[in-house]
Amino acid sequence: MNDIKVAILGGEGVGKSALIVRFLTRRFIGEYASSSECIYRKRMSVDGRQMNLELYDPCSQPCEGKSTLNEQIHWADGFVVVYDISDRSSFITATAIVHLIRELSLGAAKRESESVVFLVGNKQDLCHMREVGKEEGQRLATDGRCQFFELSAAECYQEVALMFTKLVRNASLSGKAKERRRRPSGSKSMAKLINNVFGKRRKSV
Ligand SMILES: Nc1nc2c(ncn2[C@@H]2O[C@H](COP(=O)(O)OP(=O)(O)OP(=O)(O)O)[C@@H](O)[C@H]2O)c(=O)[nH]1
């Protein structure tokens, strides 16, 4: 069984929880609690392989035992960095996160263990209020070695599901996840880190 850890990162209110809930339940419910960070778990089959997926949803508000962005980046095998196409400041935040992920992977040295990063411009249904051009998203994705998606958690389940499935597939093949599977001591310390960082707050949907 492959364990894949994915962190959904981005500015406040960009739709991180909406994307996760859409993927896990197929529903868009409009409002989501954001007072604590949590990990959602899902078992899924990708290309005939069973995966244990953990999706980390951070808390934008100050909350008890909150993990730092660096800790989240070290924990995850793959990332969805989200911005809202109708909010330029969220794109600036997403840009800083992508750069930080890449700086930290350079710190971790080996290029082949580089993390998988998907850049998502959410709220495509609000394109009449667009503040971030599609080509700007594409440019950031190219610079940050990300795959790029523009979609709407509110309107389209299929695109959200395809994006997450592709991410899980790519992350499971990435050097980072493979390295963790090869080194049991690494997974032990990773498990310890998860407990330290996230305590017992885990959810299954
Ligand atoms: N129009 C539109 N609204 C969306 C979409 N996705 C999320 N929203 C709305 O955006 C708001 C924030 O969504 P959340 O999923 O709570 O965003 P978040 O990034 O998890 O928020 P924090 O945890 O507070 O940072 C909610 O009112 C959602 O209904 C979308 O695709 N289109």
Side-chain angles (χ1 to χ4, degrees):
M1 184 82 72
N2 294 329
D3 291 333
I4 301 297
K5 300 170 192 311
V6 175
I8 320 300
L9 305 176
E12 196 174 334
V14 294
K16 300 180 292 296
S17 306
L19 285 164
I20 295 173
V21 171
R22 187 61 135 154
F23 174 54
L24 297 178
T25 70
R26 292 177 170 248
R27 283 177 297 165
F28 178 74
I29 55 177
E31 292 308 319
Y32 306 85
S34 60
S35 54
S36 65
E37 54 188 4
C38 58
I39 293 180
Y40 294 86
R41 312 184 89 187
K42 179 182 172 70
R43 279 191 170 196
M44 60 189 290
S45 167
V46 176
D47 305 330
R49 286 178 300 147
Q50 289 302 310
M51 309 274 183
N52 274 330
L53 173 62
E54 294 191 348
L55 290 174
Y56 167 68
D57 185 2
C59 168
S60 300
Q61 313 299 323
C63 61
E64 200 195 326
K66 189 171 163 155
S67 57
T68 66
L69 188 55
N70 279 18
E71 287 168 327
Q72 294 157 14
I73 291 172
H74 280 118
W75 172 80
D77 302 314
F79 302 88
V80 181
V81 178
V82 188
Y83 65 91
D84 170 352
I85 67 153
S86 67
D87 175 6
R88 170 145 301 273
S89 70
S90 75
F91 185 67
I92 293 168
T93 305
T95 304
I97 293 172
V98 168
H99 288 155
L100 184 60
I101 293 171
R102 288 313 179 207
E103 267 168 37
L104 290 177
S105 17
L106 276 183
K110 286 189 232 124
R111 176 75 180 240
E112 64 267 28
S113 70
E114 187 169 84
S115 304
V116 174
V117 184
F118 280 16
L119 178 68
V120 171
N122 187 35
K123 308 196 187 182
Q124 198 186 35
D125 54 295
L126 300 182
C127 60
H128 51 288
M129 294 159 63
R130 182 188 282 279
E131 289 185 0
V132 185
K134 193 167 183 178
E135 61 296 340
E136 291 179 271
Q138 268 156 346
R139 209 176 307 130
L140 171 59
T142 305
D143 286 351
R145 302 185 296 284
C146 312
Q147 290 208 27
F148 177 62
F149 299 80
E150 250 199 23
L151 46 75
S152 165
E155 290 199 336
C156 194
Y157 165 73
Q158 286 302 340
E159 287 176 12
V160 174
L162 273 174
M163 184 273 291
F164 275 109
T165 306
K166 197 167 185 186
L167 177 73
V168 171
R169 179 183 293 119
N170 291 6
S172 74
L173 299 172
S174 78
K176 195 170 175 187
K178 278 185 183 161
E179 203 173 297
R180 182 158 49 74
R181 284 198 292 276
R182 269 203 306 272
R183 294 167 44 195
S185 57
S187 36
K188 239 191 224 164
S189 58
M190 191 62 86
K192 209 166 148 193
L193 174 66
I194 294 164
N195 282 337
N196 289 346
V197 173
F198 301 112
K200 300 270 179 237
R201 284 185 296 276
R202 292 183 184 213
K203 291 185 183 174
S204 278
V205 177

